[in-house]
């Protein structure tokens, strides 16, 4: 979040923060990661005084800068960390570079602040295109700078499996790579790059990522998307499929009919995977289990699965999917984690009451989930799918459709005023999604995420902002320049960012939203919506 003017009260006394400054108090470890390059040192009395106030919320803080130094009062470690991030934003842009400078001027201010939403998230699809550990650690740093605190990693899809499994090693040996990748645009003739693509995180990588994230007040939310999107899994272990047939790791985009079996061996397989993930991360209060875009034809056609469904007293394949997801949610609850699902799983019914719903098909279904007593994280395609282009222009790099702008994101209200108070109370927060079918590298990740994620941070921390966001964003971009973020300029892409040109209006987001919202009213709308 970029500090808003109404949070700043001038104390008419500036201060100079010196490299090597001492920091004192019981939350020293929370402040230091937020001020890299300043070489802060703990001391008995410091220029930065950090204290805990149990009367504040865990993420709330008060920050005061005056002639005698800096005072931070926080409800908990996260509050102290975010106070230090706000302090850093008061320093010159050059403070975000590692340099030999020894001091920075800080204006005298008083800030009292706390987040509106507990869940302030970014989603990154590492299944369609893999991004190595170094990029995840960098993204965590950028999220922390913007007070974003949930990193949702989409670890498996038809096009790849992205984490080591010591119990089922063929997952990372076979399912983590494909021989080529589709390069054609939507509804164009098939074309491929004929370049092998792959990669996966070891469990040690995952442990490091989890610890690094926690040190920056970010929680990693792993996603194992089931029972559909299963081609990669079934390339390694076809016995867990509904038909027993082997599939190839998909090299094109779109959805495969490949689906896991709901039978007990599959549940046992997935609970073992959950144990590996949770054990590696160190803690995983949330695990996403998907439930979206499932083609149930193979379940309906299987005599064995049909007999199993009947033995459970279930009438339809949709009922069986609901049972399957609830069984996985039960297993996660036994391990101290809450299940998270996409909205198709809610529409099918039968979820555990503590399952969190992500309504990607619009806030209409999100409201129904909230009214049913489910916690909701707002994730609608418009305006929170950052794989859509920022403009309807061939100058943009290829995107799934158009257009979602910074202004669209900044104006989004996750808990609208026409919802009831009880419904609004169920909105845990907001999260933007970056699907990577057309995001082949880290430079494109930067382009797609920023500065739209700056607007997301505003909405997630404080809600849609007052006028003046564009001016404040313009000032903030200097910080991103200093860090080296290759964001999309507000005036349009640089010449070198105009790769694989976009096809304007091939898929218009307004048309998509109308179509998928209508589908949410069908209890059997598990089939692919896009």
């Amino acid at each position: 979040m970029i500090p808003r003017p109404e949070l700043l009260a001038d104390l008419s006394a500036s201060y100079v923060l010196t490299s090597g400054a001492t920091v004192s108090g019981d939350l020293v470890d929370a402040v230091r990661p937020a001020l890299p390059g300043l070489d802060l040192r703990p001391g008995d009395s410091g220029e930065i005084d950090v204290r805990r106030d149990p009367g504040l919320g865990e993420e709330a803080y008060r920050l005061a800068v005056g002639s005698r130094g800096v005072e931070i009062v926080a409800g908990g470690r996260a509050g102290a960390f975010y106070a230090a991030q706000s302090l850093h934003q008061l320093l010159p842009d050059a403070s975000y570079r590692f340099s030999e400078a020894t001091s920075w001027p800080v204006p005298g201010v008083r800030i009292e602040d706390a987040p509106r939403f507990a869940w302030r998230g970014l989603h990154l699809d590492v299944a369609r295109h893999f991004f190595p550990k170094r990029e995840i650690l960098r993204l965590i740093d950028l999220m922390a700078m913007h007070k974003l605190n949930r990193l949702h990693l989409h670890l498996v899809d038809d096009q790849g499996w992205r984490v080591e499994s010591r119990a089922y090693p063929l997952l990372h040996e076979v399912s983590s790579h494909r021989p080529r990748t589709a390069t054609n645009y939507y509804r164009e003739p098939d074309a491929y790059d004929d370049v092998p693509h792959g990669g996966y995180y070891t469990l040690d990588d995952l442990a490091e990522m989890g610890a690094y994230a926690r040190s920056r007040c970010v929680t990693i939310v792993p996603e194992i998307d089931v029972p559909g999107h299963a081609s990669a899994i079934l390339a390694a272990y076809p016995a867990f499929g509904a038909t027993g047939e082997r599939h190839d790791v998909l090299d094109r985009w779109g959805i495969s009919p490949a689906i896991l079996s709901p039978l007990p061996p599959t549940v046992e397989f997935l609970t073992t995977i959950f144990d590996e993930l949770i054990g590696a991360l160190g803690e995983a209060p949330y695990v996403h289990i998907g439930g979206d875009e499932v083609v149930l034809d193979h379940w309906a056609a299987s005599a064995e699965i049909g007999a199993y469904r009947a033995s459970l007293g279930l009438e339809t394949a949709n009922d069986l999917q609901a049972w399957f997801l609830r069984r996985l949610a039960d297993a996660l609850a036994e391990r101290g984690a809450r299940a998270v699902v996409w909205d198709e799983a809610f529409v099918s019914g039968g979820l555990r009451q503590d399952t969190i719903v992500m309504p990607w098909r619009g806030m209409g279904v999100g409201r129904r989930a909230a009214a049913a007593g489910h916690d909701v994280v707002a994730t609608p395609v418009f305006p929170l799918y950052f794989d859509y282009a920022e403009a309807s222009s061939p100058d943009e790099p290829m995107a799934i459709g158009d257009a979602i702008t910074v202004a669209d994101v900044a104006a989004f209200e996750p808990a609208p005023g026409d919802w009831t108070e009880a419904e609004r109370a169920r909105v845990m927060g907001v999260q933007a999604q970056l699907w990577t079918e057309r995001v082949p590298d880290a430079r494109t990740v930067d382009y797609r995420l920023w500065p739209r994620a700056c607007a997301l941070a505003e909405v997630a921390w404080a809600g849609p902002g007052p006028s003046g966001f564009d001016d404040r964003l313009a000032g903030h971009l200097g910080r991103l320049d200093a860090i080296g973020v290759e964001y999309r300029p507000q005036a349009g892409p640089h010449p070198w960012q105009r790769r694989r040109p976009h096809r304007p209006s091939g898929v218009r987001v307004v048309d998509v939203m109308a179509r998928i919202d209508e589908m949410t009213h069908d209890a059997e709308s598990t089939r692919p919506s896009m």
Side-chain angles (χ1 to χ4, degrees):
M1 177 200 170
I2 309 164
R4 292 177 173 176
E6 64 269 23
L7 293 175
L8 307 180
D10 186 4
L11 298 185
S12 68
S14 63
Y15 180 68
V16 175
L17 188 60
T18 305
S19 181
T22 58
V23 55
S24 63
D26 60 346
L27 295 169
V28 171
D29 70 312
V31 170
R32 298 176 75 186
L35 295 166
L38 291 179
D39 191 26
L40 300 178
R41 300 168 186 169
D44 293 333
S45 61
E47 293 155 301
I48 302 179
D49 179 35
V50 189
R51 292 183 289 110
R52 188 187 303 266
D53 180 350
L56 295 175
E58 171 66 23
E59 296 185 301
Y61 67 89
R62 297 193 297 268
L63 169 66
V65 180
S67 58
R68 291 179 294 179
V70 178
E71 180 185 69
I72 292 172
V73 180
R77 186 183 182 280
F81 180 81
Y82 296 136
Q85 291 289 0
S86 292
L87 174 61
H88 199 169
Q89 290 181 330
L90 296 172
L91 305 182
D93 295 345
S95 68
Y96 285 88
R97 301 179 186 271
F98 283 92
S99 68
E100 297 180 358
T102 58
S103 62
W104 305 107
V106 192
V109 298
R110 185 183 301 276
I111 299 174
E112 297 187 20
D113 204 7
R116 180 185 180 192
F117 293 113
W119 189 298
R120 306 182 299 279
L122 281 182
H123 157 288
L124 180 64
D125 169 16
V126 296
R128 272 53 175 268
H129 278 99
F130 177 72
F131 298 92
K133 179 186 71 177
R134 64 178 180 271
E135 301 301 336
I136 304 303
L137 300 182
R138 177 177 180 270
L139 180 56
I140 290 168
D141 281 336
L142 288 170
M143 290 178 63
M145 171 186 170
H146 291 83
K147 302 186 179 75
L148 297 169
N149 69 347
R150 301 285 186 266
L151 175 56
H152 174 175
L153 291 178
H154 186 76
L155 292 169
V156 59
D157 216 296
D158 290 298
Q159 293 83 8
W161 174 279
R162 300 299 177 215
V163 65
E164 176 189 18
S165 172
R166 294 170 186 165
Y168 296 95
L170 292 183
L171 288 172
H172 61 267
E173 293 172 1
V174 173
S175 303
S176 66
H177 57 94
R178 57 181 183 260
R180 62 181 188 173
T181 299
T183 59
N184 55 286
Y185 187 63
Y186 182 67
R187 291 179 177 170
E188 289 184 347
D190 291 347
Y192 298 89
D193 61 10
D194 294 321
V195 176
H197 180 84
Y200 64 90
Y201 308 111
T202 67
L203 293 178
D204 288 339
D205 289 336
L206 210 60
E208 180 183 0
M209 288 154 54
Y212 192 86
R214 283 191 295 276
S215 75
R216 286 148 178 81
C217 301
V218 174
T219 298
I220 292 179
V221 181
E223 181 181 359
I224 303 298
D225 194 355
V226 294
H229 294 271
S231 296
I233 295 174
L234 300 180
Y237 293 98
F240 293 127
T243 66
E245 297 176 359
R246 184 185 178 279
H247 290 253
D248 292 324
V249 178
L250 213 61
D251 57 11
R252 59 171 177 82
W253 312 130
I255 308 300
S256 163
I259 183 173
L260 297 180
S261 161
L263 301 179
T266 305
V267 174
E268 181 180 349
F269 158 68
L270 290 172
T271 54
T272 300
I273 295 299
F274 295 155
D275 284 336
E276 289 187 305
L277 285 175
I278 295 170
L281 284 170
E283 59 181 62
Y286 314 100
V287 175
H288 205 300
I289 55 175
D292 63 308
E293 298 182 324
V294 182
V295 180
L296 294 171
D297 295 350
H298 291 320
W299 283 12
S302 168
E304 182 182 18
I305 292 174
Y308 185 63
R309 173 182 54 74
S311 74
L312 297 172
L314 303 174
E315 295 185 2
T316 68
N318 279 84
D319 294 336
L320 182 57
Q321 181 188 339
W323 176 90
F324 178 74
L325 294 174
R326 187 180 182 104
R327 178 67 191 90
L328 296 181
D330 288 342
L332 288 171
E334 293 167 3
R335 290 154 176 80
R338 290 180 70 180
V340 189
V341 296
W342 301 109
D343 65 62
E344 290 97 326
F346 162 73
V347 171
S348 288
L351 293 178
R352 272 181 64 105
Q353 196 59 48
D354 63 352
T355 298
I356 299 166
V357 177
M358 289 187 168
W360 71 278
R361 294 185 294 179
M363 293 309 291
V365 66
R367 184 176 189 177
R368 300 202 304 275
H374 289 284
D375 287 336
V376 168
V377 177
T379 58
V381 171
F382 182 83
L384 298 181
Y385 267 36
F386 288 1
D387 48 328
Y388 278 74
E390 291 90 328
S392 301
S393 167
D395 287 342
E396 295 295 323
M398 186 182 289
I400 188 172
D402 53 61
I404 294 174
T405 68
V406 170
D408 292 330
V409 181
F412 178 61
E413 172 52 74
D418 61 346
W419 289 25
T420 68
E421 183 177 349
E423 290 164 350
R424 290 196 301 272
R426 286 291 179 184
V427 179
M428 295 179 70
V430 59
Q431 176 178 289
Q433 283 57 243
L434 183 59
W435 302 100
T436 62
E437 289 93 334
R438 294 171 178 85
V439 182
D441 52 48
R443 299 182 79 176
T444 310
V445 169
D446 269 9
Y447 184 91
R448 289 277 181 246
L449 284 181
W450 311 100
R452 289 187 292 190
C454 301
L456 172 78
E458 283 261 325
V459 170
W461 186 272
S467 61
F469 173 74
D470 288 346
D471 292 338
R472 288 182 291 118
L473 177 60
H476 182 67
L477 295 180
R479 302 180 186 115
L480 299 187
D481 288 328
I483 294 170
V485 178
E486 295 191 272
Y487 58 86
R488 180 189 185 272
Q490 291 296 83
H494 293 298
W496 56 88
Q497 293 174 317
R498 299 170 183 170
R499 295 174 293 167
R500 295 175 62 201
H502 182 50
R503 310 289 196 271
S505 300
V507 179
R508 297 176 65 245
V509 69
V510 292
D511 296 335
V512 169
M513 292 307 297
R515 183 175 75 252
I516 62 180
D517 175 71
E518 182 178 353
M519 294 183 72
T520 67
H521 295 277
D522 180 358
E524 297 187 359
S525 66
T526 61
R527 286 183 177 273
S529 304
M530 303 299 287

